[in-house]
Amino acid sequence: MKNLSVSRKVYADITSRISSALSHSAASASEAIRLVDTYIAGGDAVSDDATAMLAFNMIKPELDRAMVRSQRARERARARKAAKEAGTPDQPSAPAETRMDVAVPEVRLSRRDRRALQRAARPRKKNLPLRKNSLNLQHERDRTHHTPGNA
């Protein structure tokens, strides 16, 4: 299929997964792939093969997400093409030496590192002295209790 409503990578992944999952039944595998092709083309995917329908229904939500992603990507590409034809570039055409994003590679932090940076950025609380309440006073009395021989 030349004009897919999903990317070729997604289509290849889905068809290979269906083929490997239904390798025990070649007829069900080909029927499930036919259902995927019909659904991608905008048709109603219906079959009498229960195994093929099960495989298709398990893949269908993933197909829906991929179709939406591809539609958005095509819209962005059309907008870029229209902007290019109109003569307004998407980004300023500054020399590579003056652009900051060229010199600095992207650094991806792990979740643990991001959390550590957040903790370090938070202001630290001051340690306040404990208030004297009845429990603390009782504890101090127990610690400073004099034995009869020491007094």
Side-chain angles (χ1 to χ4, degrees):
M1 297 185 84
K2 185 176 180 182
N3 292 328
L4 297 174
S5 58
V6 295
S7 69
R8 280 178 251 142
K9 182 178 178 183
V10 168
Y11 182 77
D13 178 53
I14 287 175
T15 55
S16 70
R17 285 170 39 200
I18 288 174
S19 297
S20 66
L22 299 177
S23 62
H24 65 281
S25 174
S28 292
S30 63
E31 180 65 13
I33 291 172
R34 185 195 65 80
L35 289 170
V36 168
D37 291 341
T38 303
Y39 187 73
I40 287 174
D44 191 25
V46 179
S47 176
D48 293 333
D49 188 353
T51 306
M53 283 302 293
L54 176 67
F56 171 73
N57 285 327
M58 291 178 75
I59 295 288
K60 186 178 174 185
E62 190 172 339
L63 276 173
D64 291 336
R65 286 191 302 269
M67 290 168 73
V68 168
R69 267 195 319 265
S70 293
Q71 179 64 30
R72 288 181 185 158
R74 285 186 178 100
E75 288 172 2
R76 287 192 304 269
R78 273 189 230 109
R80 281 194 306 270
K81 186 176 179 181
K84 185 177 179 181
E85 289 174 355
T88 57
D90 291 344
Q91 296 181 1
S93 57
E97 296 84 28
T98 60
R99 289 183 18 202
M100 295 299 291
D101 60 330
V102 173
V104 180
E106 181 181 352
V107 177
R108 298 196 54 127
L109 298 176
S110 67
R111 183 177 181 183
R112 181 180 293 169
D113 294 338
R114 287 193 310 268
R115 295 286 170 102
L117 285 173
Q118 289 174 349
R119 280 194 303 274
R122 275 189 255 153
R124 297 194 64 154
K125 295 181 181 178
K126 294 180 181 178
N127 290 332
L128 300 175
L130 294 175
R131 292 185 342 183
K132 301 279 184 174
N133 60 23
S134 61
L135 292 175
N136 285 342
L137 290 175
Q138 181 64 36
H139 181 67
E140 285 183 22
R141 278 190 223 125
D142 291 342
R143 277 193 321 180
T144 60
H145 182 71
H146 297 285
T147 58
N150 290 344

